[in-house]
Amino acid sequence: DVKVTQSSRYLVKRTGEKVFLECVQDMDHENMFWYRQDPGLGLRLIYFSYDVKMKEKGDIPEGYSVSREKKERFSLILESASTNQTSMYLCASSLGRSSYGYTFGSGTRLTVV
Amino acid sequence: SQQGEEDPQALSIQEGENATMNCSYKTSINNLQWYRQNSGRGLVHLILIRSNEREKHSGRLRVTLDTSKKSSSLLITASRAADTASYFCAPSGGYNKLIFGAGTRLAVHP
């Protein structure tokens, strides 16, 4: 069964910390995505990547960066965590163009205190 | 990029009833996808319908697409308590990224 694995289900970090959220997929997918989900706001796209070492900004990239050194791994970095980054973070991957569905990870619920 | 708008925002039904959710979008599409999200989990891809298709079935799911009205519907027949979840549509113009709306929250009561 194909999988997208997010390293943590729950994380609690302090304001100002540098936070790494890891996502690994085992499907050899070209595309990977990071979303955040907040009540009433749906899913908002933070960053995405079409290939190794490539990245594109989504709708809300401020305060975040990403890294994709290997095809299977896409990391989301909160440079200096703030309380307004408390959210559910969802990673997804897809094969090729959007004629294919996305496979999502189980999510990481991040709380910044 | 595209974003779908799901309607209604929330739906409450009894087990055994059918549930219908609608999606509207604004520009032309290549395909439209439906996803389910159980509480606190990731989204699960349910079905993809291409712009040249009008209807598609998968088990108890039936999806229709009307490109002239820029709308789609998801019908779940004979609902079960396990169908309780949020449902999202994602219209795609052929670009790689999908934009998701706020979804429809479905509650199926035993």
Side-chain angles (χ1 to χ4, degrees), chain A residues 9 35 37 50 98 102 105, chain B residues 33 35 37 92 95-96 98:
Chain A
R9 282 286 288 138
Y35 292 86
Q37 185 177 26
Y50 294 146
S98 60
Y102 284 18
Chain B
Q33 303 175 32
Y35 290 78
Q37 184 182 34
S92 171
Y95 300 103
N96 284 11
L98 295 180

Side-chain angles (χ1 to χ4, degrees), chain A residues 2-56:
Chain A
V2 294
K3 266 192 173 172
V4 175
T5 303
Q6 293 184 232
S7 52
S8 306
R9 282 286 288 138
Y10 299 95
L11 270 182
V12 180
K13 296 291 181 181
R14 294 195 180 278
T15 301
E17 273 193 78
K18 190 168 186 175
V19 180
F20 293 85
L21 302 183
E22 305 288 347
C23 176
V24 178
Q25 50 97 1
D26 64 0
M27 297 164 285
D28 203 34
H29 282 176
E30 287 88 356
N31 307 324
M32 296 188 76
F33 309 85
W34 275 107
Y35 292 86
R36 66 176 281 178
Q37 185 177 26
D38 301 286
L41 295 178
L43 280 77
R44 292 181 290 169
L45 182 62
I46 305 171
Y47 267 98
F48 57 106
S49 169
Y50 294 146
D51 203 349
V52 177
K53 297 195 187 295
M54 292 183 66
K55 59 185 178 184
E56 299 274 351

